[in-house]
């Protein structure tokens, strides 16, 4: 790997760690240089990074959301918006059906890949020796919204951070083997060699080669070999480990035709089953899996129906991996997203129409809910998508059209209730203390027609806004009604799901 590459990679890593508020835009700069194979050509300067960042504006100030721009921004912000341990648990939950086949094939397991990434992440980010006072923090709101406000760290800071992100490959392998060997002292000694081989395979899979003209992508290869011998590796953005692992898992299983075939055959049932398992854990009147349209001239079923005292929600699960091949093919993602959501809307609506049409002579809704007056109940659709992707459907028609997924609104009426959520977000929300109020959240989230006045990166942000700001606050209730009347959209990033300690210098 050239000296210029190593300089630029470590320099941008230090810049991002020091300017914690600018980490997403610096990652975006690094990614753009990497994809264009310009990271090897000349040394990067602070002026170039500032000029790149100056072109960016906070999404709240954008008149035109611009799908490619906002999608890239979201993808490069998301890695720090989730709990890596929770996400690791979710991925084990999601891909457990492939582990035996990978083992029989002699390939490393998804579990091993996640363990390796966790080891690297923890090794770098735990006890870094850097405290908040060592970082550059915005002094006021004007500086905070100026994306070009990026400062260079001291030589001492750079030296300390570069030492953290430059790792001895053999030492990492030794730690991986030691950490994943069974506690049983009678295990077969040959298992050590087997674990070393697995660790080497994972290290190679995660690493971009030292030389070559192939297009590089730090989502696919978050490690970079610092020498041809591969004795050292650089991890410039350790925060993307684990939190973006689903991209790499999909890429990994795609290398094996037979494993990919198993995933293609089973993912529908797997994702649907996982979603149903999660929905069953929501406190409700009833959740019915694979809801059959009985006494209907056109037999069919919904993936599920969630019943509360005063509402019911038809559920449709889509397992198509919309996130595959991103962030490189954003137009494809947009089209896939709109296509799958539109398909699901037709399916959730059919279930709603069926339930609405019942005169309940069979006592179905009463038996499921205890509500003697089903006509008074609200109804809606919940669409669950597989994968770690942003919430592209806000429920605000103007914002969604500007983002490029407005065609979804052509399929829904103004008063139709619809929530689109990822399997991961559902998994995460179930761990929140307010899960017993899920029904109230759904009714609020879908209660503004097509003028929902809040825009967030994911459904967790809407959850945080509702419970941390809106609930039991008359001013917020009145404020949102005013926002709807004036067609104002508020961009929201929560404190609940995001570390905002770096904003300590900002005043209200």
């Amino acid at each position: 790997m050239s000296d210029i590459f190593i300089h630029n990679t470590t320099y941008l890593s230090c810049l991002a760690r020091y300017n914690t508020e600018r980490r997403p835009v610096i990652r975006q700069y690094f990614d753009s240089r990497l994809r264009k194979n310009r990271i090897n050509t000349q040394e990067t300067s602070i002026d170039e990074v500032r000029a790149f960042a100056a072109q960016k504006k906070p999404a709240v100030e954008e008149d035109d959301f611009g799908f490619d721009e906002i999608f890239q921004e979201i993808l490069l912000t998301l890695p720090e918006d989730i709990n890596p341990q929770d996400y690791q648990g979710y991925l084990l939950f999601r891909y457990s059906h492939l582990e035996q086949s990978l083992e029989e094939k002699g390939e490393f397991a998804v579990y091993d890949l996640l363990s390796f990434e966790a080891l690297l992440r923890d090794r770098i980010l735990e006890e870094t020796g850097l405290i908040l006072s060592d970082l550059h923090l915005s002094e006021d709101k004007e500086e905070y919204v100026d994306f070009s406000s990026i400062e260079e760290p001291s030589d001492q800071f750079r030296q300390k951070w570069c030492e953290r992100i430059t790792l001895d490959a053999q030492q990492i392998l030794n730690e991986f083997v030691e950490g994943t060997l069974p506690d049983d002292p009678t295990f077969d000694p040959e298992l050590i060699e087997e674990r070393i081989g697995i660790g080497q395979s994972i290290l190679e899979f995660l690493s971009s080669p030292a030389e070559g003209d192939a297009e590089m992508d730090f989502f696919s290869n978050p490690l970079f070999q610092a020498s041809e011998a591969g004795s050292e590796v650089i991890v410039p953005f350790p925060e993307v480990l684990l939190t973006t692992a689903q991209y790499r898992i999909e890429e990994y299983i795609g290398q094996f035709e037979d494993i990919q075939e198993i995933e293609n055959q089973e993912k529908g049932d797997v994702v649907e089953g996982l979603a149903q398992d999660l929905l069953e854990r929501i406190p409700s009147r009833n959740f019915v899996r694979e809801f059959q349209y009985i006494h209907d001239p056109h037999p069919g079923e919904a993936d599920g129906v969630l019943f509360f005292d005063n509402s019911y929600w038809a559920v449709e699960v889509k397992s198509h991996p919309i996130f595959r091949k991103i962030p490189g093919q954003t137009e494809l993602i947009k089209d896939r997203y709109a296509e799958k959501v539109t398909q699901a809307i037709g399916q959730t609506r059919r279930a709603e129409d069926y339930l609405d049409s019942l005169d309940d002579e069979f006592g179905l809704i009463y038996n499921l809910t205890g509500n003697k007056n089903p006509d008074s109940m609200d109804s809606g659709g919940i669409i669950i998508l597989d994968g770690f992707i942003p919430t592209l459907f806000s429920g605000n028609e103007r914002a969604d059209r500007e983002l490029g997924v407005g065609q979804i609104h052509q399929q829904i009426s103004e008063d139709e209730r619809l929530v689109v959520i990822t399997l991961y977000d559902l998994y995460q929300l179930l761990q929140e203390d307010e899960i017993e109020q899920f029904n109230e959240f759904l009714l609020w989230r879908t209660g503004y027609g097509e003028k929902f006045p809040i825009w967030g990166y994911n459904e967790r942000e809407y959850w945080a806004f509702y419970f941390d700001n809106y609930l039991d606050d008359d001013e917020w209730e009145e404020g949102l009604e005013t926002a709807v009347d004036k067609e104002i959209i508020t961009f929201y990033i929560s404190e609940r799901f995001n570390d905002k300690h770096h904003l300590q210098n900002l005043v209200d």
Side-chain angles (χ1 to χ4, degrees):
M1 186 168 287
S2 70
D3 291 341
I4 291 178
F5 184 97
I6 293 174
H7 171 273
N8 288 343
T9 301
T10 55
Y11 175 74
L12 291 171
S13 176
C14 291
L15 211 59
R17 184 54 45 176
Y18 184 62
N19 297 270
T20 183
E21 300 156 2
R22 305 294 173 230
R23 203 173 295 151
V25 76
I26 294 171
R27 279 200 298 261
Q28 192 170 352
Y29 174 82
F30 176 78
D31 185 52
S32 68
R33 292 283 297 251
L34 197 65
R35 288 178 178 280
K36 295 175 183 177
N37 285 324
R38 293 175 55 197
I39 203 77
N40 279 311
T41 55
Q42 63 183 31
E43 289 192 359
T44 296
S45 70
I46 186 70
D47 291 337
E48 290 176 347
V49 180
R50 286 171 177 163
F52 178 87
Q55 303 170 28
K56 310 296 176 182
K57 292 182 180 180
V60 69
E61 295 184 356
E62 291 281 7
D63 293 327
D64 181 358
F65 281 72
F67 182 82
D68 286 358
E69 190 71 19
I70 193 67
F71 193 80
Q72 287 284 351
E73 181 180 332
I74 293 170
L75 283 178
L76 292 162
T77 301
L78 281 174
E80 296 183 70
D81 282 358
I82 66 173
N83 182 300
Q85 287 75 32
D86 286 346
Y87 195 53
Q88 183 178 9
Y90 160 74
L91 291 175
L92 292 171
F93 178 66
R94 165 65 177 85
Y95 290 100
S96 60
H97 65 290
L98 298 177
E99 298 292 51
Q100 183 176 347
S101 298
L102 287 167
E103 182 181 352
E104 291 174 352
K105 193 176 180 65
E107 304 294 342
F108 62 79
V110 171
Y111 170 85
D112 285 324
L113 174 62
L114 295 174
S115 297
F116 201 97
E117 292 200 19
L119 168 65
L120 292 171
R121 182 187 175 102
D122 292 346
R123 173 77 179 275
I124 297 172
L125 295 181
E126 287 187 354
E127 299 178 6
T128 62
L130 302 172
I131 58 176
L132 203 58
S133 60
D134 292 325
L135 308 177
H136 173 66
L137 305 176
S138 297
E139 294 297 330
D140 51 46
K141 291 183 178 179
E142 288 72 22
E143 183 179 356
Y144 178 66
V145 299
D146 178 8
F147 279 17
S148 65
S149 175
I150 300 173
E151 301 297 328
E152 288 189 306
S154 66
D155 290 342
Q156 183 180 9
F157 183 100
R158 289 185 60 180
Q159 179 181 355
K160 185 183 293 186
W161 182 246
C162 286
E163 289 174 355
R164 298 293 304 183
I165 63 171
T166 305
L167 305 176
D168 181 274
Q170 188 58 54
Q171 186 174 352
I172 290 296
L173 286 173
N174 292 341
E175 291 181 20
F176 170 75
V177 171
E178 182 180 345
T180 58
L181 281 174
D183 294 331
D184 183 358
T186 65
F187 70 86
D188 187 345
E190 291 185 3
L191 186 59
I192 294 178
E193 292 301 319
E194 179 184 317
R195 300 307 297 171
I196 291 174
I198 287 173
Q200 289 173 331
S201 297
I202 295 173
L203 186 62
E204 181 179 349
F205 172 73
L206 292 175
S207 302
S208 287
E211 302 292 344
D213 297 326
E215 183 178 281
M216 291 185 285
D217 168 12
F218 78 87
F219 275 113
S220 296
N221 305 111
L223 278 60
F224 299 90
Q225 295 178 16
S227 64
E228 288 189 38
S231 58
E232 288 186 330
V233 293
I234 299 171
V235 190
F237 299 98
E239 63 277 357
V240 307
L241 294 168
L242 281 186
T243 58
T244 61
Q246 191 157 10
Y247 307 143
R248 291 181 287 284
I249 293 171
E250 285 290 326
E251 197 165 305
Y252 173 56
I253 63 180
Q255 294 178 357
F256 313 110
E257 185 176 345
D258 52 346
I259 302 295
Q260 185 65 69
E261 185 176 349
I262 293 172
E263 168 67 2
N264 292 342
Q265 290 175 347
E266 297 184 5
K267 71 176 185 292
D269 291 339
V270 167
V271 173
E272 183 179 320
L274 294 178
Q276 291 168 336
D277 289 345
L278 294 175
L279 290 165
E280 282 185 338
R281 290 165 50 189
I282 295 173
S284 65
R285 266 292 184 175
N286 231 314
F287 174 68
V288 181
R289 292 174 177 248
E290 299 171 2
F291 182 84
Q292 302 286 331
Y293 306 150
I294 59 173
H295 305 289
D296 190 290
H298 305 289
E301 69 175 31
D303 290 334
V305 180
L306 187 62
F307 292 94
F308 296 98
D309 289 335
N310 61 347
S311 70
Y312 54 83
W313 303 80
V315 177
E316 184 62 29
V317 182
K318 290 295 182 184
S319 63
H320 191 87
I322 295 170
F323 54 87
R324 222 180 248 169
K325 300 298 183 184
I326 61 175
Q329 299 180 14
T330 53
E331 282 300 319
L332 179 60
I333 303 308
K334 178 171 62 176
D335 293 341
R336 279 182 183 169
Y337 185 94
E339 176 188 353
K340 295 303 173 184
V341 171
T342 298
Q343 287 177 2
I345 288 171
Q347 292 163 304
T348 58
R349 183 182 294 129
R350 183 180 174 194
E352 288 182 72
D353 290 345
Y354 168 73
L355 287 164
D356 289 344
S357 70
L358 293 177
D359 58 14
D360 217 26
E361 62 178 299
F362 304 104
L364 177 62
I365 296 179
Y366 172 70
N367 287 329
L368 289 170
T369 67
N371 192 327
K372 295 181 180 180
N373 184 20
D375 291 339
S376 67
M377 299 177 71
D378 289 306
S379 65
I382 300 175
I383 298 171
I384 301 174
L385 302 177
D386 183 30
F388 179 45
I389 54 176
T391 292
L392 302 179
F393 178 76
S394 69
N396 184 293
E397 182 177 10
R398 178 167 66 88
D400 293 339
R401 288 192 183 282
E402 290 178 353
L403 190 57
V405 294
Q407 61 266 50
I408 294 173
H409 287 268
Q410 297 173 6
Q411 308 301 319
I412 57 178
S413 60
E414 185 176 352
D415 59 349
E416 189 168 356
R417 295 181 180 273
L418 180 68
V419 170
V420 183
I421 188 171
T422 65
L423 186 61
Y424 171 70
D425 275 353
L426 182 61
Y427 174 87
Q428 183 69 62
L429 294 184
L430 274 163
Q431 301 179 55
E432 298 302 303
D433 293 337
E434 304 90 349
I435 191 60
E436 290 191 1
Q437 297 171 265
F438 194 74
N439 178 50
E440 290 84 347
F441 168 74
L442 289 176
L443 293 173
W444 169 79
R445 180 72 175 88
T446 59
Y448 292 91
E450 294 186 292
K451 294 184 178 180
F452 191 76
I454 307 297
W455 199 93
Y457 282 151
N458 51 60
E459 207 59 36
R460 286 169 284 127
E461 300 292 55
Y462 297 110
W463 182 275
F465 184 89
Y466 178 70
F467 288 108
D468 297 342
N469 296 289
Y470 178 87
L471 195 63
D472 300 325
D473 190 320
D474 293 339
E475 289 187 11
W476 268 116
E477 185 175 351
E478 294 174 6
L480 291 196
E481 293 294 344
T482 300
V484 170
D485 292 339
K486 296 184 177 181
E487 298 188 355
I488 298 171
I489 304 170
T490 299
F491 185 81
Y492 182 69
I493 299 178
S494 71
E495 187 169 1
R496 178 184 294 219
F497 294 110
N498 303 275
D499 181 4
K500 290 192 173 184
H501 292 306
H502 59 275
L503 304 181
Q504 63 179 15
N505 291 341
L506 302 189
V507 296
D508 295 330

